Amino acid sequence: MLCFSLKLTAGQVRSRLFVMSVARAFKVLISHPQVPAPALALLRSHGAETVVCQSVPPSRAEILEKVPGMDAIYWAHYQPLNAAILDAAGPQLRAVSTMSSGIDFADVPEFKRRGIPLGHTPGVVKNAVADLAIGLMIAAGRHFHAGRSDIETSQWVTEQIDWRMGVEIRDSVIGFFGFGGIGQAIAKRLQSWDVAKILYTTRTRKENDVQFQAEHVPFERLLRESDFLVVAAPLTDETRGKFNAQAFGQMKRSAVFVNVARGGLVNQADLHEALSTGQFLAAGLDVTTPEPLPADSPILKLPNCVVLPHLGTQTMKTTIEMSLLAANNIINAIEGRPMVRSAY
């Protein structure tokens, strides 16, 4: 009879215990019932028991009721993601991922303090948002909103050469406040549009800016020289309210302002004043403050402002890609690997 003595190191013991813990089902709270099915299927294929909240819009009371005991949270809306949620979940919580690019609604320092991995879904949103940004550049620069209103009010003018005269992207200076994935995706699309120059303002120069023939410039120069100024930066304490009366006062009177980032980067009252007084030509907004924007908001009454209801990522292709990335963030964290896209 043969006998074997098996001695395991502490590391090997921890490794085997970890594999055993991963093999059992883990619980994931899904905060919204409309998360795409492929993401739920992916989680379940890795052993997840998914608990789906049913309220639309999401009910914080329902989330707080269902989150205790969860190993992970799949956060698919923009309500505050903070200590109250983490406390309710309990100490066993091992991972949280949002299904969003921006995370201004998440208390990142609190996640850091607790050592809980937090993921999000940047990168995959860039193409859909870039397409929409160019649409807003054209729509605002060529008076789409005002022109439609002219038709509806029987003000369509046919015998006036300078009626609704707009501006073209061709031969224009395109400025970007923020030049990450979204800004660069827009710049990539503009390479065949015969633009005069691409400028951008970020804290530090991007090493790959030569690919887009883009020049890193100070904020004041960006304001002075841009024919189209596109905001594509995260909302932070540093960028909040960056575009205010002082900034708008430095822009060209013929400029077009486009915001596809977050409404909080703009002082909306100052924007309304600048557009009303003709400080610059027009604006295109996919983001506002607040959201949803009230139907009686003064900004909606302006003929030179195109406003969309935050449609930047609203394509099925991009939404599914975002949902899968959020699911993979959670799976990686549960299985002891770095998240695909960590928020810190």
Side-chain angles (χ1 to χ4, degrees):
M1 181 175 179
L2 298 176
C3 296
F4 295 95
S5 175
L6 179 61
K7 294 182 179 179
L8 300 177
T9 66
Q12 289 172 320
V13 170
R14 284 195 299 271
S15 176
R16 292 192 177 201
L17 288 174
F18 178 74
V19 170
M20 292 170 62
S21 69
V22 169
R24 70 173 176 80
F26 58 97
K27 290 186 175 182
V28 182
L29 181 77
I30 310 296
S31 75
H32 199 295
Q34 295 172 354
V35 167
L40 301 182
L42 179 61
L43 286 167
R44 291 163 184 160
S45 73
H46 283 259
E49 175 189 337
T50 56
V51 177
V52 182
C53 294
Q54 297 300 321
S55 302
V56 179
S59 161
R60 199 164 183 86
E62 182 185 9
I63 292 169
L64 290 171
E65 177 188 348
K66 291 182 175 179
V67 76
M70 293 293 150
D71 297 294
I73 301 173
Y74 188 114
W75 199 256
H77 61 291
Y78 297 104
Q79 291 184 21
L81 180 53
N82 52 21
I85 298 296
L86 302 181
D87 287 342
Q92 79 297 319
L93 184 68
R94 289 186 279 163
V96 179
S97 184
T98 72
M99 200 182 92
S100 66
S101 178
I103 51 169
D104 47 287
F105 54 86
D107 188 345
V108 178
E110 184 65 19
F111 276 86
K112 289 181 179 179
R113 187 182 72 79
R114 300 182 187 222
I116 299 173
L118 173 64
H120 62 148
T121 62
V124 297
V125 307
K126 65 183 181 182
N127 291 311
V129 177
D131 290 350
L132 182 134
I134 291 178
L136 281 174
M137 292 167 67
I138 297 170
R142 299 298 299 274
H143 304 299
F144 281 16
H145 177 60
R148 174 60 183 264
S149 296
D150 289 337
I151 296 172
E152 294 174 350
T153 56
S154 299
Q155 300 298 312
W156 186 338
V157 176
T158 59
E159 300 296 338
Q160 188 171 319
I161 290 177
D162 63 353
W163 179 70
R164 294 298 180 207
M165 197 67 73
V167 292
E168 296 183 47
I169 293 175
R170 179 179 54 133
D171 295 329
S172 293
V173 175
I174 314 298
F176 292 94
F177 183 74
F179 202 57
I182 292 172
Q184 291 184 13
I186 300 168
K188 179 180 179 181
R189 284 157 172 73
L190 293 175
Q191 295 302 301
S192 61
W193 287 60
D194 298 325
V195 301
K197 189 186 301 183
I198 292 177
L199 307 177
Y200 71 96
T201 296
T202 54
R203 282 180 294 180
T204 57
R205 177 182 171 271
K206 299 289 184 178
E207 293 183 1
N208 66 336
D209 61 8
V210 66
Q211 298 177 23
F212 309 99
Q213 302 177 58
E215 182 182 356
H216 183 247
V217 298
F219 184 55
E220 291 72 20
R221 183 179 166 194
L222 186 81
L223 295 171
R224 289 195 311 268
E225 296 187 17
S226 296
D227 295 305
F228 289 84
L229 202 166
V230 181
V231 181
L235 177 61
T236 65
D237 290 340
E238 182 182 352
T239 62
R240 189 179 302 275
K242 186 75 171 178
F243 289 90
N244 52 24
Q246 182 180 1
F248 295 136
Q250 298 178 61
M251 291 173 58
K252 293 180 179 181
R253 292 183 67 86
S254 59
V256 174
F257 177 79
V258 171
N259 186 8
V260 292
R262 286 287 187 269
L265 279 86
V266 177
N267 182 313
Q268 200 157 284
D270 288 355
L271 174 63
H272 181 273
E273 177 67 16
L275 289 169
S276 299
T277 58
Q279 291 183 43
F280 56 91
L281 181 69
L285 310 176
D286 187 41
V287 288
T288 58
T289 304
E291 292 182 5
L293 193 64
D296 61 354
S297 173
I299 205 79
L300 294 174
K301 307 300 188 290
L302 296 174
N304 56 344
C305 190
V306 179
V307 184
L308 300 179
H310 205 152
L311 297 177
T313 61
Q314 290 299 106
T315 71
M316 186 55 67
K317 180 177 178 63
T318 289
T319 300
I320 290 175
E321 289 173 346
M322 293 170 68
S323 74
L324 291 172
L325 177 51
N328 276 308
N329 281 337
I330 288 172
I331 290 165
N332 277 20
I334 292 294
E335 295 181 354
R337 300 190 306 275
M339 286 184 164
V340 182
R341 293 305 299 263
S342 176
Y344 69 89

